[in-house]
Amino acid sequence: MIILLLLATSYAVFTLALWLTWLRMPASEQSALPATGPRLSVVVPVRNEAPNIGLLLNDLSHQTYRNFEVIVADDASTDNTRSVVEQYTQMASYPICLLPLADEQTASPKKRAITQSIAQATGDLILTTDGDCRVGPNWLASYAAQYQHTGAKMLFGPVTFTTERTIFDSLQIVEFSSLIGSGACTLAWGRPTMCNGANLCYVKKVFTAVGGFAGVDHLASGDDEFLMHKIANQYPGGVHFLKSQAAIVQTGPHQSWRAFYQQRKRWASKWRAYGTVWPTLLAMLVFAWNLTPVLAAGGWLLGFLNGKAALVVIGLKVVPEFLFLRQVLVFLQKKTSVVFIPLTQVIYPFYVLFFGLAAQKKGYLWKGRKLS
């Protein structure tokens, strides 16, 4: 009982600290965003994104910031992704380069795509996103403004999902908001943990200075977080979170449990490869914290724990968590998903435990390929 209370209390303190940090974190909304400035190279690694890539390219045509190029690295798509990009290139109002990649065996196809794109990029800054993402008209301008204001070596922004049509959509939105908020707040503490390659920006020369993905190129995942850790280690204080609604990137939620499982297993598999103690320790604490309410509820049902004690343990988790998640969802303009926070809180402990164990088994399917 004492151990459960200690774990629950430590989680409550941690989550309240996240909440307060998020509230105090200044928004980066600029009254006048620049129309030009440093050259930006938008790198989009794609594989079989024919239904989506045209929408992203159209979003980029409406950017208020004009000094940019787009490099679409097509990783041997088996659909007509390449032809969609080629057709759009003929009418685009900005430079588009289609970079075809050979269908060859590699440990990390996405890192290969990004590295080869950067090698021919002409921009001072590299922005990465995914072929199934959507961006607002001030996406590029918000990054250019923040870079000019801070001189950051790396910036990362918020990511959420496009639709809230089903309960499954909303559960994914709530779960993902916890990752975005936690990554931003731990960075504010000087302890970078998470970011997302769907909304990531870094100085091209810095990518070269840290050796790119060297040292982690044998891992299929982590083109975002491992690079962030390398840059943070070499340039202390050089990584910033862009808390701007203009910088929000949206992507489609998974429509099947199988696709969701494969992605989350891929993400969970990264924790063993972290080169610093803090992200590994946090991953282990998150696992323990989510085990706590399960043990409390189980102890109550089996008669090992009285009801009041179990409710205290569970309450120490759900109340601070609700406050934090609600605030992040409001910022992400996903207020309608707030009502699904309690349901997510019921499911999430079992979800964390399941994927924490599933990650111990190597290998997963991604984009029609078996990766490890």
Side-chain angles (χ1 to χ4, degrees), residues 161-166 168-169 172 251-260:
F161 295 109
T162 51
T163 61
E164 300 171 84
R165 291 192 298 263
T166 68
F168 188 37
D169 291 348
Q172 291 180 71
T251 185
H254 290 293
Q255 299 304 310
S256 72
W257 163 250
R258 180 178 176 82
F260 179 84

Side-chain angles (χ1 to χ4, degrees), residues 27-44:
S28 302
E29 308 297 348
Q30 303 287 332
S31 56
L33 290 168
T36 188
R39 177 79 165 170
L40 309 181
S41 292
V42 181
V43 172
V44 190

Side-chain angles (χ1 to χ4, degrees), residues 65 78 89 93 104 119 152 190 229 254 279 304 331:
Y65 191 87
T78 56
T89 301
S93 59
E104 57 188 37
H229 295 154
H254 290 293
F304 299 123
F331 167 78

